[in-house]
């Protein structure tokens, strides 16, 4: 069974630009979660989508947004990139209970 | 607010047991998790425990939960060099499908 997949693996953006990260959950999982792992800040919860709806949001500004598609895949959009947005962005999926993580997307903002 | 605390470092010798400790604050947590992260990689789910359990054993891993003290521990028996990684404790926020609140991670170093 395929795990959670994320794309791209790495990307480099310039401050002020916009970026879209993608996540495909494990087949049968309806919930997708996004987390940010920035150096020195640990893992911070960003967004939770379930059945196409946003269920919860972490303490991040509105320029972090996303959506979930009918096939349960998800996008995370970050507008007006800032240097401190440089981080590993991790996506996880679940059906009920345990969350399984993808390999992450490493975003570097210069 | 909700918080999960872990010690940052642990060093053991190969073959010894490792015990990684964690305290959490959300008494409504339904699931408590242990994840492993190797350098440059994502998070690997190691094990989890329901909040109505005291202990769970899975091969070399033993999880102990003290709900009264909100204390969770992960014991790794016969620790190997391949166990060197960062271990994260996490609690589910707001029920079984809630987002996770993570500790800052314990870096386990295993010396040969």
């Amino acid at each position: 069974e395929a795990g959670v997949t994320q794309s791209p693996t790495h990307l480099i953006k310039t401050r002020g630009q916009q970026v879209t990260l993608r996540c495909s959950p494990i087949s049968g999982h309806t919930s997708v979660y996004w987390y940010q792992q920035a150096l020195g800040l640990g893992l911070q919860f960003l967004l939770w989508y379930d059945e196409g709806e946003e269920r919860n949001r972490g303490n991040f500004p509105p320029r972090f947004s996303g959506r979930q598609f009918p096939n349960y895949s998800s996008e995370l959009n970050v507008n007006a990139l800032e240097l401190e947005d440089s981080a590993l962005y991790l996506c996880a999926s679940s059906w009920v209970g345990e969350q399984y993580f993808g390999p992450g997307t490493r975003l570097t903002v210069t | 607010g909700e918080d999960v605390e872990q010690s940052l470092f642990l060093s053991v010798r190969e073959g010894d047991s490792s015990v990684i400790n964690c305290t959490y604050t959300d008494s409504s947590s339904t699931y408590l998790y242990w994840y492993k992260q190797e350098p440059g990689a994502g998070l690997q789910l190691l094990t989890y425990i329901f909040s109505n359990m005291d202990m769970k054993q899975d091969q070399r891993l033993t999880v102990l939960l003290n709900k009264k003290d909100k204390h969770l521990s992960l014991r790794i028996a016969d620790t190997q060099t391949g166990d060197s990684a960062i271990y994260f404790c996490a609690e589910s926020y707001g029920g079984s499908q809630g987002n996770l609140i993570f500790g800052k991670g314990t870096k386990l170093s295993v010396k040969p």
Side-chain angles (χ1 to χ4, degrees):
Chain A
E1 181 185 289
V4 178
T5 59
Q6 293 186 244
S7 63
T9 306
H10 297 87
L11 72 166
I12 300 173
K13 291 285 188 177
T14 305
R15 199 170 59 180
Q17 286 187 313
Q18 178 265 342
V19 69
T20 298
L21 311 181
R22 293 178 176 83
C23 172
S24 291
I26 291 170
S27 177
H29 287 188
T30 60
S31 279
V32 169
Y33 308 79
W34 288 95
Y35 296 87
Q36 182 197 65
Q37 188 176 30
L39 202 60
L41 292 177
L43 278 149
Q44 305 289 322
F45 164 68
L46 267 164
L47 289 159
W48 168 24
Y49 292 97
D50 181 60
E51 298 283 0
E53 302 281 334
E54 183 182 298
R55 299 296 185 191
N56 198 12
R57 181 182 181 85
N59 190 23
F60 281 84
R63 59 191 184 82
F64 287 84
S65 65
R67 55 181 173 166
Q68 186 178 34
F69 298 98
N71 67 353
Y72 302 114
S73 67
S74 177
E75 284 182 352
L76 173 68
N77 299 293
V78 188
N79 293 322
L81 284 166
E82 299 180 3
L83 296 178
E84 52 265 34
D85 297 334
S86 294
L88 180 68
Y89 288 84
L90 291 162
C91 169
S93 76
S94 76
W95 178 56
V96 176
E98 60 267 33
Q99 294 181 22
Y100 294 90
F101 282 78
T105 294
R106 173 78 59 190
L107 172 64
T108 302
V109 182
T110 62
Chain B
E2 294 71 27
D3 200 11
V4 178
E5 299 280 344
Q6 299 178 242
S7 53
L8 294 181
F9 300 99
L10 176 65
S11 180
V12 300
R13 291 220 169 268
E14 193 173 18
D16 288 348
S17 291
S18 309
V19 179
I20 303 171
N21 294 300
C22 168
T23 56
Y24 62 97
T25 57
D26 185 6
S27 57
S28 69
S29 289
T30 311
Y31 288 71
L32 293 144
Y33 300 85
W34 286 103
Y35 285 89
K36 175 183 180 182
Q37 187 176 37
E38 297 183 64
L43 295 177
Q44 175 193 352
L45 176 63
L46 281 179
T47 186
Y48 61 92
I49 189 167
F50 294 107
S51 56
N52 62 356
M53 297 169 67
D54 298 323
M55 186 182 89
K56 180 179 180 182
Q57 188 153 3
D58 185 0
Q59 300 182 335
R60 292 191 298 125
L61 305 178
T62 302
V63 178
L64 294 177
L65 175 60
N66 181 330
K67 279 196 75 174
K68 175 175 166 291
D69 295 337
K70 295 181 186 168
H71 182 266
L72 183 72
S73 68
L74 174 69
R75 178 177 180 268
I76 305 173
D78 187 26
T79 313
Q80 302 298 307
T81 54
D83 295 324
S84 294
I86 299 177
Y87 290 79
F88 291 93
C89 167
E91 61 173 343
S92 61
Y93 173 64
S96 62
Q97 268 195 291
N99 51 277
L100 299 180
I101 309 295
F102 285 89
K104 292 206 182 304
T106 300
K107 184 173 183 179
L108 174 64
S109 297
V110 183
K111 299 184 188 321

